[in-house]
Amino acid sequence: MRHLLSAGDLSLDEATLVLDTAKELAQVGGRSVKKLPTLRGRTVVNLFYEDSTRTRISFEAAAKRMSADVINFSAKGSSVSKGESLKDTALTLQAMGADGVVIRHGASGAARRLSNWVDGAVLNAGDGTHEHPTQALLDAYTMRERMGRLDGLRVAIVGDILHSRVARSNVLLLRTLGAHVTLVAPPTLLPVSVAGWPCEVSYDLDEVLPKSDVVMMLRVQAERMNDAFFPSAREYTRRYGLDGDRFAQLPEHAVVMHPGPMIRGMEISAEVADSPRSTIVEQVTNGVSVRMAVLYLLLGGSESGIGN
Ligand code: NCD
C-alpha cells in the first residue's frame, strides 16, 4: 500500500503491523531525546484546509521525531475554488518533491483525488464527513492498551454519526480487528447508508451502556449543519450526553473515549471527561506514536512498507 486513504483499505495484518510498530515507537516518547534518524532527508508536507489542533500537531510531532523535514501549509482562507486550488497545490508539492503529504480537507474524497496527482504517499487526516483513518488507528491502539485486546470488544460510538469521519473509520477498522460496534444516535444524526455498515445501531444510550466495554463520545459538528437536527442542545444532552449517572451504568472495567475537541457539558460532562477511566489525554499521546508508525511504514523505505 502506498497511501493511507481509508481505514477500510487495511487488512488485519496491516492494521496489526501499524499498532505493533506504534507500540515500539512509543518508547521514543518516553526518552529525554525524543528523536530517531529514520526519516532523515525525507520531506513531509502538512496540507490543512480545515481547522485542526490535535491532528496537525500530532502529525508534525510524529514526523519531527523521525527526523523528517516538515512543511506546514495552512490553506484556510484561500479564495480559489477548492477543486482548482487542490490540484494547483498538488502540482506545487510534486515539484518540490514531497515524500509524504498529510491532507485534511472539507471535501469527502479529497485525499484520494490528491493521490492521483502526487508521487509521494498521501495520508488522509480527515476528508469531509468521509474518513479519518489515523484517528481510528490511534483509537484502536488506545483500546488495545487499556483493555488488552480488540477481538470481541464491545464498542459503543455515540453522537453525531452523520457528520463523523471518526465514526466511519472506526467502524471499518474495528470490524477488521474483530470488535463489535454499536452506533448510538438520534435518527436524524445517522446516515441513510448506515444500514449497510458492519455494525449495529441503537437510539437508546441507556440500553447500550451496560453492555459496552468502550464508549466513544463524539462532538455534535455544528459547523457541518445548516438545519436543526435536534430540538435543542439541552434535549440532546438529556438523551445522548454522558454524565455521571449514565457513566455509573457502564461495567466497572469500561473506559470512555473522545477524539476531541469536546464540548464539556454537551456530549460529555466534565466529571466524566476528567475521570481516570477516560482515555482522552492518552489518545493524544498515542496519536503521535501511531502517526510515527504510519509515516515509517509508508515512507521508511522499500523493505518496511505496509504490504508494499
Ligand atoms: C475530529 C475530526 O476532526 O474529525 N477531531 C480530530 O481529528 N481529533 C472530530 C471532531 O472534529 O469533532
Side-chain angles (χ1 to χ4, degrees), residues 285-303:
T285 307
N286 295 340
V288 178
S289 310
V290 163
R291 289 173 177 124
M292 285 171 78
V294 170
L295 286 168
Y296 171 73
L297 293 168
L298 290 176
L299 307 184
S302 52
E303 76 286 358

Side-chain angles (χ1 to χ4, degrees), residues 54-55 104 132 135 165-166 219 221 223 259-261:
R54 270 154 292 271
T55 306
R104 169 167 288 196
H132 194 352
Q135 180 70 42
R165 50 202 180 198
V166 176
R219 184 177 66 87
Q221 302 205 5
E223 77 276 23

Side-chain angles (χ1 to χ4, degrees), residues 50-56 104 125-128 131-132 135 138 163-166 218-221 223-224 258-262 267 291:
E50 265 193 359
D51 293 345
S52 173
T53 306
R54 270 154 292 271
T55 306
R56 165 127 86 135
R104 169 167 288 196
D127 61 328
E131 281 223 42
H132 194 352
Q135 180 70 42
L138 78 88
H163 300 104
S164 179
R165 50 202 180 198
V166 176
L218 299 174
R219 184 177 66 87
V220 173
Q221 302 205 5
E223 77 276 23
R224 299 192 204 277
H258 195 306
M262 59 182 158
E267 73 274 13
R291 289 173 177 124

Side-chain angles (χ1 to χ4, degrees), residues 229-287:
F229 284 85
F230 44 83
S232 69
R234 183 194 285 198
E235 173 67 8
Y236 179 86
T237 303
R238 195 178 66 73
R239 299 225 21 213
Y240 294 100
L242 189 62
D243 60 9
D245 288 343
R246 284 222 165 91
F247 184 70
Q249 296 181 44
L250 282 164
E252 248 167 57
H253 66 269
V255 295
V256 176
M257 306 181 68
H258 195 306
M262 59 182 158
I263 313 294
R264 288 171 184 253
M266 176 91 171
E267 73 274 13
I268 190 166
S269 71
E271 174 192 5
V272 174
D274 298 331
S275 141
R277 284 164 60 197
S278 146
T279 65
I280 298 170
V281 180
E282 273 158 63
Q283 284 170 267
V284 177
T285 307
N286 295 340

Side-chain angles (χ1 to χ4, degrees), residues 4-26:
L4 180 60
L5 305 176
S6 161
D9 291 342
L10 294 168
S11 66
L12 175 59
D13 283 351
E14 287 170 335
T16 306
L17 177 64
V18 174
L19 302 184
D20 291 346
T21 306
K23 176 87 179 161
E24 276 179 46
L25 293 170

Side-chain angles (χ1 to χ4, degrees), residues 163-185:
H163 300 104
S164 179
R165 50 202 180 198
V166 176
R168 183 186 297 255
S169 287
N170 261 289
V171 166
L172 294 172
L173 185 69
L174 287 170
R175 145 76 161 223
T176 302
L177 292 165
H180 302 296
V181 177
T182 303
L183 300 175
V184 186

